[in-house]
Amino acid sequence: MYPEQAPNPPAQRAVEVHQPTPLPPVVPALAQVVPVQPGTVPAVASIVLPDGRVVTGYAINPAQPEPVAAKPAVSRTAVNVALGGAGFLAVCGGLVLLTSFIAALTAFITQLITLAAVIFGGWIAVQIFSASGHRGGTTVNIRKAVIKRNHFRS
C-alpha cells in the first residue's frame, strides 16, 4: 500500500529502526586475486519507484545449477558386438534345433522302412508257405512247362 493511500497519516505509525551489523574484516586468501575485465558490459537497469525515486543497478542473473554429468554415450562398436553376439547365439541355437530335428526325422524314416520290410516280408512268407496247402490258384510247373491258365503246353 502506498503512503498516500494509507488511512492513517505516516506520523502515527510505529517505526522500527534496524541498525546494520558490522561484518568482521575478511582475511585475505593465500592465492592472489587478479582482477579481470568482464567479457561484456552488463546491462544497467533503472526502476522508478511510486514516490518518484529512481533506483539504478545491475541485474543479477539467477544462479544456474551445476550441469549434471552426462552419461557417456554407448559406443557403436559395443552395440555392434552385443548384437553380433546375440545373433551368433541365435544361429547356434537354430543349428542345434535343426540338427536334433534331422536326427529325429532320420530315426522316424528308419523305423518306417523297418516296419515296411517286416510287413512286406511277412506277406511274402505267408504267400510262400500257404501256396503248398492251397491249390486253387495258378499252377506253374517249370520242368514240364505246363501253365494251366494260359494253356501253354510243350
Side-chain angles (χ1 to χ4, degrees):
M1 199 178 250
Y2 298 115
E4 55 271 356
Q5 296 175 348
N8 297 331
Q12 294 177 355
R13 284 193 283 176
V15 178
E16 290 184 28
V17 178
H18 296 282
Q19 296 295 327
T21 306
L23 296 175
V26 177
V27 178
L30 297 177
Q32 196 171 12
V33 177
V34 178
V36 177
Q37 205 57 347
T40 61
V41 177
V44 178
S46 296
I47 300 173
V48 179
L49 296 176
D51 61 354
R53 293 181 293 168
V54 177
V55 178
T56 303
Y58 294 106
I60 299 174
N61 294 332
Q64 298 292 329
E66 289 292 322
V68 178
K71 292 182 180 179
V74 179
S75 69
R76 297 184 79 120
T77 305
V79 171
N80 290 341
V81 167
L83 290 176
F88 178 75
L89 289 177
V91 168
C92 288
L95 288 176
V96 167
L97 289 175
L98 181 64
T99 305
S100 61
F101 175 74
I102 290 173
L105 187 63
T106 303
F108 179 69
I109 291 173
T110 304
Q111 288 178 354
L112 285 180
I113 291 171
T114 305
L115 181 64
V118 167
I119 291 174
F120 186 70
W123 182 77
I124 291 176
V126 167
Q127 295 300 318
I128 291 173
F129 291 124
S130 66
S132 61
H134 182 67
R135 300 284 179 193
T138 304
T139 303
V140 177
N141 191 345
I142 297 177
R143 287 190 184 168
K144 295 181 182 178
V146 176
I147 300 174
K148 292 181 181 178
R149 183 168 286 174
N150 294 332
H151 303 288
F152 176 77
R153 291 184 177 87
S154 59

